[in-house]
């Protein structure tokens, strides 16, 4: 009889814990409670130790979910991690420099970053990887292709929503602009982009990836004075990484094709 009462008490306790976790919105404790109880019994944890295990599990899972939400909100086109970057394929990029940037101190200080190099040299990988690192560190991040960003600004201006749109891009801690320099921008588009950069100047960070060196930006921003002002905004107190001219994507593809060809029976 006492055994049945004990079992009933445990069942009632489990039900009460489940209800309390729902009310208090503690999904991790609710989901992991049974496993943590078993672990506590096996390790003979004290009440304090058991409570610490529960609360730490909830905190760690909340941090993970917040990071996932920030990465999702950044709207990256694909996943890229700094840990996957192949420094051997592109020896011109310093792992120490990237490691320093991964601390996100430059984002905290609101400094810009420019990644300059030809296609296939790892610019977008580093841009997305550093943006992801910033999101995981708690910063609000937004990714945009340069042409799409300009188109959005032009549409917002036409719909009398420009101030709101610029303010939205101004609020994020890090704005990542990819493929700057691929297309020529008309004066209006360039001026609108300049407004976004001015809104963020010395307050919030901008990171750009461009296939053109600064001297070639006059092909994108055809007004020389506006071009100089934009370069100034993107380089003042900032970091510049030159990723080079040798496409490691092209080299990787060629090496794979050569390997496949040599493995074919003759």
């Amino acid at each position: 009889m006492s055994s049945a009462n004990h079992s009933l008490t445990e069942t009632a306790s489990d039900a009460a814990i489940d209800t309390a976790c729902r009310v208090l919105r503690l999904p991790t404790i609710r989901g992991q409670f049974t496993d943590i109880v078993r672990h506590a019994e096996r390790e003979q944890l004290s009440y304090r130790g058991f409570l610490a295990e529960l609360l730490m599990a909830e905190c760690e899972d909340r941090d993970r979910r917040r990071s996932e939400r920030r990465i999702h909100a950044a709207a990256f086109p694909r996943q890229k991690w700094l840990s996957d970057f192949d420094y051997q394929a592109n020896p011109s990029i310093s792992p120490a420099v990237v490691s320093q940037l991964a601390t996100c101190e430059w984002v905290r200080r609101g400094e810009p970053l420019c990644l300059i190099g030809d296609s296939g040299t790892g610019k977008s990988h580093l841009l997305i990887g550093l943006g992801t690192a910033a999101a995981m560190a708690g910063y609000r991040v937004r990714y945009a292709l340069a042409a799409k960003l300009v188109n959005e600004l032009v549409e917002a201006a036409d719909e009398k929503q420009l101030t709101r749109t610029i303010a939205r891009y101004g609020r994020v801690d890090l704005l990542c602009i990819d493929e700057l320099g691929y297309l020529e921008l008309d004066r209006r588009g360039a001026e609108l982009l300049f407004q976004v950069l001015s809104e963020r100047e010395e307050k919030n960070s901008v990171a750009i990836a461009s296939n053109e060196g600064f001297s070639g930006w006059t092909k994108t921003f055809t007004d020389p004075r506006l071009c100089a002002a934009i370069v100034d905004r993107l380089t003042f107190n900032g970091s510049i990484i030159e990723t080079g001219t040798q496409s490691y994507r092209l080299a990787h593809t060629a090496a794979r094709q050569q390997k496949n060809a040599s493995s074919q029976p003759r």
Side-chain angles (χ1 to χ4, degrees), residues 194-265:
F194 179 70
Q195 287 187 49
V196 171
L197 300 178
S198 296
E199 175 75 15
R200 302 181 59 80
E201 186 182 14
E202 296 188 57
K203 294 186 295 184
N204 294 319
S205 291
V206 176
I208 65 100
S210 176
N211 65 321
E212 283 281 358
F214 298 120
S215 61
W217 280 24
T218 50
K219 289 184 286 186
T220 299
F221 307 103
T222 52
D223 182 307
R225 293 179 64 184
L226 184 59
C227 180
I230 287 174
V231 170
D232 181 67
R233 293 290 189 281
L234 290 173
T235 56
F236 182 67
N237 281 338
S239 301
I240 300 171
I241 295 180
E242 295 184 355
T243 59
T245 58
Q246 292 294 110
S247 171
Y248 71 73
R249 277 207 307 259
L250 185 62
H252 178 75
T253 301
R256 189 176 69 244
Q257 289 176 340
Q258 186 175 10
K259 181 180 178 182
N260 290 341
S262 62
S263 64
Q264 296 294 323

Side-chain angles (χ1 to χ4, degrees), residues 5 12 15 18 38 40 48 50 61 79 95 104 107 172 174 181-182 184 195 201 207 215 227 229 243 254:
N5 284 338
D18 187 86
R38 292 197 187 105
R48 281 191 180 90
F50 172 56
D61 204 45
Q79 280 191 346
C104 299
V107 180
V172 297
L174 172 60
Y182 279 76
E184 178 182 324
Q195 287 187 49
E201 186 182 14
S215 61
C227 180
T243 59

